Amino acid sequence: MLKWLHPYAKAEHSYALAGKLMPWFLILTIPSFLVGIVWGLAFAPADYQQGDSFRIIYIHVPAAMMAMAAYSTMAIAAFVGLVWQVRLAEMAVAATAPIGAVYTFIALFTGAAWGKPMWGAWWVWDARLTSELILLFVYMGIIALYNAFSDKVLAGRAASILTLVGVINLPIIHFSVVWWNTLHQGATITKFEQPSIATEMLIPLLMMIFSFATFLGFMILYRFRNELLQREQHRAWVVKLVQAKQRG
Amino acid sequence: MFNVFIQVVRQDLLAAFRHQSAILNPIWFFIIVVTLFPLGLGTDPTLLSRIAPGVIWVAALLAALLSFERLFKDDYIDGSLEQMMLSPYPLAWLVSAKVLAHWLLTSLPILIISPLLAIFLSLQIDAFYALSLTLLIGTPILSLLGAIGVALTVGLRKGGILLSLIMLPLSIPILIFSTMAVEAAASGQDYLGFVLLLAAMLVGAITLAPFAIAAALRVSIS
Amino acid sequence: MFNVFIQVVRQDLLAAFRHQSAILNPIWFFIIVVTLFPLGLGTDPTLLSRIAPGVIWVAALLAALLSFERLFKDDYIDGSLEQMMLSPYPLAWLVSAKVLAHWLLTSLPILIISPLLAIFLSLQIDAFYALSLTLLIGTPILSLLGAIGVALTVGLRKGGILLSLIMLPLSIPILIFSTMAVEAAASGQDYLGFVLLLAAMLVGAITLAPFAIAAALRVSIS
Amino acid sequence: MLECKDLTCVREQRVLFKQLNLIVKPGEILHIEGPNGVGKSSLLALLTGLSSAYSGDVYWQQQKITAQRETYYQDLLYLGHKSGVKAELTALENCQGFQRLYSSQTDVDLYDVLLKVGLVGYEDIPAAQLSAGQQRRIALARMYFTECKLWILDEPFTSLDKEAIKSLETCLIKHAQQGGIVVLTTHQALSIPEANYKKLFLTKATVEEHYV
Amino acid sequence: MLECKDLTCVREQRVLFKQLNLIVKPGEILHIEGPNGVGKSSLLALLTGLSSAYSGDVYWQQQKITAQRETYYQDLLYLGHKSGVKAELTALENCQGFQRLYSSQTDVDLYDVLLKVGLVGYEDIPAAQLSAGQQRRIALARMYFTECKLWILDEPFTSLDKEAIKSLETCLIKHAQQGGIVVLTTHQALSIPEANYKKLFLTKATVEEHYV
Ligand code: HEM
Ligand SMILES: Nc1ncnc2c1ncn2[C@@H]1O[C@H](COP(=O)(O)OP(=O)(O)OP(=O)(O)O)[C@@H](O)[C@H]1O
Ligand SMILES: Nc1ncnc2c1ncn2[C@@H]1O[C@H](COP(=O)(O)OP(=O)(O)OP(=O)(O)O)[C@@H](O)[C@H]1O
Ligand SMILES: [Mg+2]
Ligand SMILES: [Mg+2]
């Protein structure tokens, strides 16, 4: 594990690796997003109950899933960072938090916009909605804590600890629909047996989920590189990089 | 080893008793918040008894929150926290003693006076039992979680409100389970499941939180 | 003279902006407290809209309360309060500047986001106008009264909860008038009377409180 | 001229000193000495009017200070154990704050002042991130542009390095020679020319005197 | 034996010192000197393990301190800018607290210790109501009953009067002569016999060295 990690625990290598991976994520994102969104919004059949308003699903569900996926990523990075003392992993935590917060906000916002036609109210105190709101709070807490430290190494470590403590919220969000009887939809597509959604609706949804996921990856890498540059701005390799940029 | 634990608890209690107001304050705050609600919401007894468990729990949570800042802040300012971190005993162990002392000083009094408030808010007897039970199990979890938050923010100026930002989301699950238990009790249903869930969380918190607190302190103080 | 006023306000805002979290924190706290209630009380929209004004006001009060400690405490600890008392300008004047800065930092943001929370708690539009108006007039009174409390307790360690003890009873009248105004508005009645009453209290507070604060500080710092 | 007559200081029913009389004239540096806990800081707090005496009065230019607070404070610069430096603000911002509060000159070159206290290069760092001595230097910066006549300084040399101590001493002497008054406490020996220098030894009140 | 190898300290991306090597043997008193803000306190914090170095390691009895925290802390007494005295508790109660945490002897006569630091007569007053120097003396009391071998003291002489400084110096010398190690910073001159005394001048990193 450590042997495998080690070369990339070096800042410069990780910077280069992240730079190499980034375009691939973008290449995967753009077509799947375009196809998914056009298919979903224009061509997929309207829901027999919900009419066209169901199309929000193509934003809502991917965003909600990625909100949680981002948190899981952070939790893993935090664990790696704290246990094996990998500073770069802690940086990844800091880099991911704002993206996760934005995804969460999108999920909340689209959910609220969807709730208005469906349930007749922008907001109800449903278990799933509430726990998603809590997730947003947790994200904000992590970001605020990270910003409150002036020494960014310490800030990263503190944010990692808080991330791990906040993990208790993930199962609560996911199982909230099971544990409480709620207004919100139960699992529709993640069920193991036959998904209870029409295939024509499902395929664009899956494409959207895929594109959101790759975009998440892209954004994490992007912010991670920025974080690296900022933290190591006085190191020789960054200086060299900047000089090369200026010359070229 | 055990001696040191006792000594830390003793010193904290002693320092608090020296400032008698430090003991009475959380209770007073709690009472005042609970009485604010009938004032703010009107005095219809059915409405009151309906919102009573929620109000009492929220008040307990806020009282705990307000008193948290004290948990390590004084020790940080006067330097005893540094000293604690340089002691040959495991930091997680010393820190547990401090959390225990804090719980004894802030939550135990609230637990003791809750019957009085139940009367204020026209709570039924079943719901009251459930409320006491959830407070008994839930408040230590709050103290442990809160201590992590405090440990993370103690080195920062203006940590106070950042702390509540960090801590409230973490304590919401406890709030939810507890009020659900009380509601179940009030409507005559079985609430053991919720209580067991809380108990499981307590066990988890007792075993893991001290280490998280210690780690957080090592980050904050450096 | 006016220059100094501006300078004091400026420095306080600057110090707060330096710690960006210091500005956002009261809002976050406020939001979180407001969301706690639906969690603790159940999610019935009619119940919620009924208790909404009370909850928002109590939350604003608590947010103000939590941030009060900051008002003079930092200045006390780092000695700038002593310096302020030894300045040739009238203490009451300097202190007003500090209270203004504090209001700008803590209550104004709350005022600005209250529409969002009104949606959360399914508040009607009439009641919402009344609520905003009472918050606009009421929170400066809170800040001024709170400052007296802070000034009295700043020299004491463990002032935090003692402060809330002193301050909450003082702010109860404001809470009552405000929620009465909002309730009147919600039921379509005229609420101007309450608002005028609050406005009169505000005028009284602005003229008298600075002197009380100055006197209290002279007692605390000696 | 700073004067105190029959000053008695009681803290928690314990007499620290009794009927203290004192005159400090322009051009003098008064060094108050005495063992720990004898009441030096308490005496300084009485002189500034921050706390009020059990009995006796303090006079500035022949008038009681309680009767002329605002004029007195126009002439007074006090530096206590706590330094009055805001931890969130940078050295420069702190100085700007002092300037508004203590000085009517608006065209002081603050960079020049920072140069004098040796903080150039650190002017943009929040005070919280400076070392103990550097924070103390920020507090001392106000002496370089104040027009106050009376300086009351409680252990001003704490955490300063040798060079800073020397330059502060020079500053005090210069102030005295320009007709100012300095009252200070410190446990360190000072090297100040005889002409300006005056010492006051505070000693512990005897047991009989312990209670009023 | 305390040793550090290639210690580099970076604070907010600014190098304070680079590749510092240091050996302190039993019986030695190491006095770290240098101007304000050069990094003395930061160095001491690294030596105690309170903060972790950018690179390099600290060794105690030939082992890394990070690998043997608990044994190291059994041998270490640290006194920082903050004194670790609880303001609500009296001098006596504070000492009892220290005793439990630092000493395995349970029969130390604490009144005797208070006598040594000159706090007799004040043992029942909460520390908050003592003078600056008296509070400092409470913190110093722990040196009179600790069995720790290594003492790390950051400006221990702050706010002490002359007599207290002298007796603290004697105490340090005695500790060294019994085979202990003292590492301290102070801006005051010390009068310590040559045999035990060692000085380290820290100087500011040059501009080229400023960033790692
Ligand atoms: C603010 C309001 C809402 C929030 C915060 C919210 C939150 C979420 C979350 C977190 C998920 C992902 C769950 C998981 O992956 O385990 C999700 C999935 C979903 N949501 Fe919402 N939602 C909201 C409103 C709505 C509305 C109004 C509808 C439609 C009636 C809706 C329909 C769905 C559907 C169909 C899924 C996919 C379920 C699955 O396959 O697991 N949501 N939502
Ligand atoms: N908490 C902190 N965060 C960031 N930087 C700091 C912090 N404390 C100190 N520094 C920086 O580290 C440098 C050294 O500080 P340190 O406290 O070690 O100095 P010192 O040698 O002890 O000085 P003094 O004699 O004034 O006590 C200072 O220049 C300061 O800018
Ligand atoms: N806040 C207080 N409340 C009550 N008594 C106090 C307080 N501060 C100081 N004292 C008492 O007054 C006496 C004198 O204190 P003071 O601070 O004036 O001493 P000092 O001469 O400045 O000593 P040092 O050299 O240690 O600074 C002390 O013995 C102390 O017990
Ligand atoms: Mg003193
Ligand atoms: Mg230092």
Side-chain angles (χ1 to χ4, degrees):
Chain A
M1 175 88 196
L2 272 178
K3 281 244 168 62
W4 173 78
L5 262 173
H6 219 76
Y8 296 111
K10 285 260 154 42
E12 194 176 353
H13 288 271
S14 336
Y15 183 83
L17 180 70
K20 261 180 231 147
L21 287 178
M22 246 169 49
W24 290 105
F25 277 97
L26 202 58
I27 287 172
L28 290 176
T29 304
I30 293 171
S32 59
F33 180 80
L34 288 177
V35 175
I37 198 122
V38 172
W39 190 346
L41 293 190
F43 297 105
D47 191 84
Y48 70 97
Q49 262 183 339
Q50 307 186 359
D52 276 333
S53 66
F54 100 98
R55 293 184 198 280
I56 299 180
I57 200 174
Y58 295 115
I59 307 289
H60 172 72
V61 173
M65 286 181 140
M66 286 315 123
M68 288 164 65
Y71 199 90
S72 315
T73 315
M74 279 167 62
I76 294 168
F79 187 80
V80 172
L82 288 177
V83 173
W84 287 288
Q85 317 244 318
V86 184
R87 269 196 312 143
L88 294 176
E90 282 160 4
M91 260 183 237
V93 173
T96 313
I99 311 169
V102 171
Y103 272 120
T104 312
F105 184 79
I106 294 175
L108 275 170
F109 189 81
T110 52
W114 199 356
K116 186 67 183 166
M118 294 312 303
W119 307 326
W122 291 102
W123 186 260
V124 289
W125 288 99
D126 166 278
R128 155 97 17 122
L129 276 60
T130 307
S131 48
E132 188 78 0
L133 188 64
I134 296 173
L135 183 64
L136 182 65
F137 287 163
V138 173
Y139 273 126
M140 296 317 270
I142 293 169
I143 296 169
L145 185 67
Y146 184 76
N147 288 331
F149 279 85
S150 57
D151 185 329
K152 290 306 167 200
V153 175
L154 297 180
R157 214 171 299 161
S160 300
I161 293 175
L162 186 57
T163 306
L164 283 186
V165 176
V167 165
I168 43 169
N169 263 311
L170 279 193
I172 293 181
I173 297 175
H174 189 75
F175 293 114
S176 54
V177 263
V178 186
W179 291 345
W180 295 282
N181 43 350
T182 62
L183 278 176
H184 193 279
Q185 216 92 354
T188 343
I189 48 173
T190 47
K191 279 196 295 197
F192 283 113
E193 62 270 26
Q194 193 65 26
S196 43
I197 178 172
T199 326
E200 301 85 26
M201 293 183 190
L202 181 63
I203 293 172
L205 183 57
L206 288 180
M207 292 190 77
M208 286 303 285
I209 292 174
F210 179 76
S211 76
F212 267 57
T214 48
F215 189 64
L216 174 67
F218 171 76
M219 281 306 292
I220 291 178
L221 289 176
Y222 180 78
R223 283 190 43 91
F224 175 70
R225 269 162 60 102
N226 274 355
E227 193 76 33
L228 254 179
L229 284 186
Q230 226 166 50
R231 274 218 209 157
E232 313 239 312
Q233 54 185 316
H234 301 297
R235 305 294 292 277
W237 68 271
V238 179
V239 174
K240 225 183 288 167
L241 209 72
V242 172
Q243 282 165 351
K245 256 269 148 46
Q246 279 167 347
R247 257 182 269 120
Chain B
M1 183 97 159
F2 203 71
N3 264 347
V4 179
F5 191 89
I6 304 272
Q7 171 69 17
V8 173
V9 175
R10 217 188 113 248
Q11 275 223 343
D12 276 21
L13 296 185
L14 203 66
F17 277 93
R18 200 51 55 73
H19 264 260
Q20 282 159 0
S21 55
I23 312 161
L24 290 176
N25 278 338
I27 317 180
W28 271 112
F29 176 79
F30 181 64
I31 295 178
I32 292 177
V33 171
V34 170
T35 49
L36 273 184
F37 275 93
L39 293 175
L41 301 182
T43 52
D44 174 13
T46 56
L47 175 68
L48 280 187
S49 73
R50 195 163 151 206
I51 63 171
V55 168
I56 291 186
W57 250 101
V58 172
L61 211 160
L62 292 175
L65 201 73
L66 272 184
S67 59
F68 270 134
E69 258 202 290
R70 240 174 61 195
L71 181 51
F72 296 124
K73 195 86 189 179
D74 289 348
D75 287 15
Y76 173 69
I77 291 174
D78 66 22
S80 3
L81 199 55
E82 266 176 16
Q83 293 296 339
M84 218 163 79
M85 293 175 64
L86 297 179
S87 107
Y89 304 98
L91 187 55
W93 180 244
L94 298 178
V95 144
S96 315
K98 287 199 74 72
V99 175
L100 177 63
H102 182 261
W103 185 82
L104 289 176
L105 282 170
T106 57
S107 297
L108 194 60
I110 288 181
L111 219 71
I112 292 170
I113 60 148
S114 59
L116 185 68
L117 294 172
I119 296 175
F120 262 168
L121 295 173
S122 354
L123 201 66
Q124 302 120 285
I125 189 80
D126 283 346
F128 168 66
Y129 283 138
L131 180 66
S132 306
L133 198 59
T134 54
L135 280 176
L136 181 66
I137 306 178
T139 47
I141 313 181
L142 279 188
S143 295
L144 285 162
L145 283 181
I148 301 178
V150 183
L152 283 171
T153 54
V154 69
L156 310 170
R157 306 200 113 226
K158 313 288 166 75
I161 298 190
L162 181 60
L163 170 64
S164 51
L165 186 64
I166 291 176
M167 219 209 103
L168 277 173
L170 295 180
S171 44
I172 286 176
I174 302 162
L175 179 73
I176 294 180
F177 290 132
S178 302
T179 49
M180 281 170 84
V182 181
E183 263 163 35
S187 57
Q189 288 167 306
D190 186 30
Y191 57 90
L192 194 69
F194 295 113
V195 173
L196 287 181
L197 203 66
L198 280 176
M201 288 169 84
L202 178 59
V203 173
I206 287 179
T207 46
L208 296 178
F211 298 98
I213 300 169
L217 281 179
R218 293 225 185 270
V219 172
S220 285
I221 316 292
S222 70
Chain C
M1 182 94 160
F2 202 71
N3 263 348
V4 179
F5 191 89
I6 304 272
Q7 170 70 15
V8 173
V9 175
R10 217 188 115 249
Q11 275 225 340
D12 275 22
L13 295 186
L14 202 67
F17 278 92
R18 199 51 53 74
H19 266 259
Q20 283 160 357
S21 53
I23 312 160
L24 290 176
N25 277 338
I27 318 181
W28 271 108
F29 176 78
F30 181 64
I31 296 179
I32 292 177
V33 171
V34 171
T35 51
L36 272 184
F37 276 94
L39 291 175
L41 300 182
T43 54
D44 175 13
T46 56
L47 175 69
L48 281 185
S49 73
R50 192 160 154 209
I51 64 170
V55 168
I56 290 188
W57 250 101
V58 171
L61 212 157
L62 292 175
L65 202 72
L66 272 184
S67 59
F68 269 135
E69 256 202 291
R70 238 174 63 194
L71 181 52
F72 295 125
K73 194 84 188 182
D74 287 349
D75 287 15
Y76 173 68
I77 291 174
D78 66 22
S80 0
L81 198 56
E82 266 176 17
Q83 293 295 339
M84 219 164 79
M85 294 175 62
L86 297 179
S87 111
Y89 304 99
L91 187 56
W93 181 244
L94 297 179
V95 144
S96 315
K98 287 200 75 70
V99 174
L100 176 64
H102 180 261
W103 184 82
L104 289 177
L105 282 171
T106 58
S107 297
L108 193 62
I110 287 180
L111 222 67
I112 292 169
I113 60 146
S114 57
L116 185 68
L117 294 172
I119 294 178
F120 264 166
L121 294 173
S122 347
L123 202 65
Q124 303 119 286
I125 191 80
D126 285 346
F128 169 67
Y129 284 138
L131 181 67
S132 305
L133 199 60
T134 55
L135 279 177
L136 182 65
I137 305 178
T139 47
I141 313 181
L142 279 187
S143 295
L144 286 163
L145 283 182
I148 303 179
V150 183
L152 282 172
T153 54
V154 69
L156 311 170
R157 306 199 113 223
K158 314 288 167 73
I161 297 191
L162 181 61
L163 169 64
S164 50
L165 210 61
I166 294 178
M167 220 207 101
L168 276 174
L170 290 179
S171 43
I172 284 179
I174 303 164
L175 178 72
I176 292 180
F177 289 132
S178 304
T179 49
M180 280 168 85
V182 181
E183 263 163 35
S187 57
Q189 289 167 308
D190 186 31
Y191 58 89
L192 195 68
F194 295 112
V195 173
L196 288 180
L197 204 66
L198 279 176
M201 287 168 83
L202 178 59
V203 173
I206 287 179
T207 46
L208 297 179
F211 298 98
I213 300 169
L217 279 180
R218 293 228 185 269
V219 172
S220 285
I221 315 293
S222 70
Chain D
M1 195 170 82
L2 181 72
E3 195 174 350
C4 53
K5 288 188 186 147
D6 281 346
L7 216 55
T8 301
C9 176
V10 179
R11 281 269 205 183
E12 310 265 318
Q13 304 181 320
R14 185 192 296 223
V15 176
L16 292 183
F17 47 82
K18 222 172 182 170
Q19 262 114 32
L20 186 84
N21 290 296
L22 194 72
I23 295 184
V24 201
K25 300 207 195 76
E28 286 183 343
I29 297 179
L30 175 67
H31 176 180
I32 301 175
E33 257 198 316
N36 288 141
V38 77
K40 302 181 294 299
S41 301
S42 309
L43 174 58
L44 294 192
L46 292 183
L47 292 183
T48 60
L50 272 178
S51 57
S52 48
Y54 180 84
S55 70
D57 285 297
V58 181
Y59 296 81
W60 173 244
Q61 322 287 35
Q62 273 80 35
Q63 289 196 15
K64 281 193 194 177
I65 59 166
T66 44
Q68 48 151 359
R69 272 237 153 96
E70 264 138 54
T71 10
Y72 182 48
Y73 289 162
Q74 225 141 27
D75 287 339
L76 172 69
L77 184 143
Y78 169 70
L79 190 69
H81 279 296
K82 295 184 249 163
S83 61
V85 170
K86 292 234 131 301
E88 294 88 9
L89 301 183
T90 65
L92 193 62
E93 286 161 349
N94 267 300
C95 284
Q96 283 164 349
F98 298 154
Q99 192 193 352
R100 274 293 156 82
L101 281 173
Y102 303 111
S103 165
S104 51
Q105 291 168 257
T106 46
D107 56 344
V108 185
D109 182 2
L110 290 180
Y111 279 96
D112 192 47
V113 172
L114 287 182
L115 189 69
K116 279 185 191 146
V117 294
L119 283 175
V120 169
Y122 296 93
E123 62 270 6
D124 286 333
I125 302 176
Q129 292 171 18
L130 294 175
S131 79
Q134 287 169 328
Q135 292 186 22
R136 198 75 192 167
R137 282 158 183 245
I138 299 180
L140 296 174
R142 73 189 83 173
M143 297 196 201
Y144 290 91
F145 55 76
T146 179
E147 298 129 29
C148 298
K149 287 203 201 91
L150 173 61
W151 294 1
I152 297 188
L153 314 171
D154 200 354
E155 307 203 21
F157 301 112
T158 315
S159 27
L160 294 185
D161 61 19
K162 280 170 195 154
E163 172 224 359
I165 292 179
K166 185 143 296 163
S167 82
L168 180 58
E169 269 180 357
T170 324
C171 174
L172 296 183
I173 295 170
K174 196 174 134 209
H175 179 64
Q177 281 163 354
Q178 289 172 350
I181 299 182
V182 179
V183 179
L184 85 165
T185 70
T186 178
H187 297 292
Q188 304 187 19
L190 297 177
S191 48
I192 290 177
E194 285 281 322
N196 305 107
Y197 193 52
K198 223 168 109 174
K199 249 188 190 175
L200 170 72
F201 277 100
L202 276 188
T203 43
K204 233 172 141 172
T206 55
V207 180
E208 307 87 76
E209 293 174 342
H210 242 152
Y211 298 102
V212 265
Chain E
M1 195 167 83
L2 182 73
E3 195 174 351
C4 54
K5 288 190 189 147
D6 282 344
L7 217 55
T8 300
C9 177
V10 179
R11 283 270 203 181
E12 310 266 317
Q13 306 181 320
R14 184 191 297 227
V15 175
L16 294 183
F17 46 82
K18 223 173 183 170
Q19 263 114 30
L20 186 83
N21 290 296
L22 193 72
I23 295 185
V24 201
K25 298 207 197 79
E28 286 182 345
I29 297 179
L30 175 68
H31 176 182
I32 301 174
E33 256 197 317
N36 288 141
V38 78
K40 302 180 293 302
S41 302
S42 308
L43 174 58
L44 294 194
L46 291 184
L47 292 184
T48 59
L50 271 177
S51 57
S52 48
Y54 182 84
S55 70
D57 284 296
V58 180
Y59 296 80
W60 172 244
Q61 321 287 35
Q62 270 81 35
Q63 291 197 13
K64 282 193 192 175
I65 59 167
T66 43
Q68 47 149 359
R69 272 239 155 96
E70 265 137 52
T71 8
Y72 181 49
Y73 289 163
Q74 226 141 27
D75 287 339
L76 172 69
L77 184 143
Y78 169 70
L79 190 70
H81 279 296
K82 295 185 248 162
S83 60
V85 171
K86 291 232 130 304
E88 296 88 8
L89 301 183
T90 64
L92 193 61
E93 285 161 349
N94 267 300
C95 284
Q96 282 165 351
F98 298 153
Q99 193 193 352
R100 273 293 156 82
L101 281 174
Y102 303 109
S103 164
S104 52
Q105 294 168 255
T106 47
D107 56 345
V108 185
D109 182 2
L110 291 179
Y111 279 96
D112 192 47
V113 171
L114 287 182
L115 188 69
K116 279 184 192 148
V117 293
L119 283 175
V120 169
Y122 296 92
E123 63 271 6
D124 286 334
I125 303 177
Q129 291 172 17
L130 294 175
S131 81
Q134 288 170 329
Q135 292 185 23
R136 199 75 194 166
R137 283 159 182 245
I138 299 180
L140 296 174
R142 71 190 84 172
M143 298 197 203
Y144 291 92
F145 55 76
T146 179
E147 296 130 30
C148 298
K149 286 203 200 94
L150 173 63
W151 294 1
I152 296 187
L153 314 171
D154 201 354
E155 307 204 21
F157 301 112
T158 315
S159 23
L160 293 184
D161 60 18
K162 280 169 195 154
E163 172 224 359
I165 292 179
K166 186 141 295 163
S167 81
L168 179 57
E169 268 181 358
T170 324
C171 175
L172 296 183
I173 295 170
K174 199 174 130 207
H175 179 64
Q177 281 164 352
Q178 288 172 352
I181 299 182
V182 179
V183 179
L184 85 166
T185 70
T186 179
H187 297 293
Q188 305 187 19
L190 296 178
S191 48
I192 289 178
E194 285 281 323
N196 307 108
Y197 194 51
K198 223 167 110 175
K199 250 189 188 175
L200 171 72
F201 277 99
L202 276 188
T203 44
K204 235 174 141 171
T206 55
V207 180
E208 307 88 77
E209 292 175 344
H210 242 153
Y211 299 105
V212 266

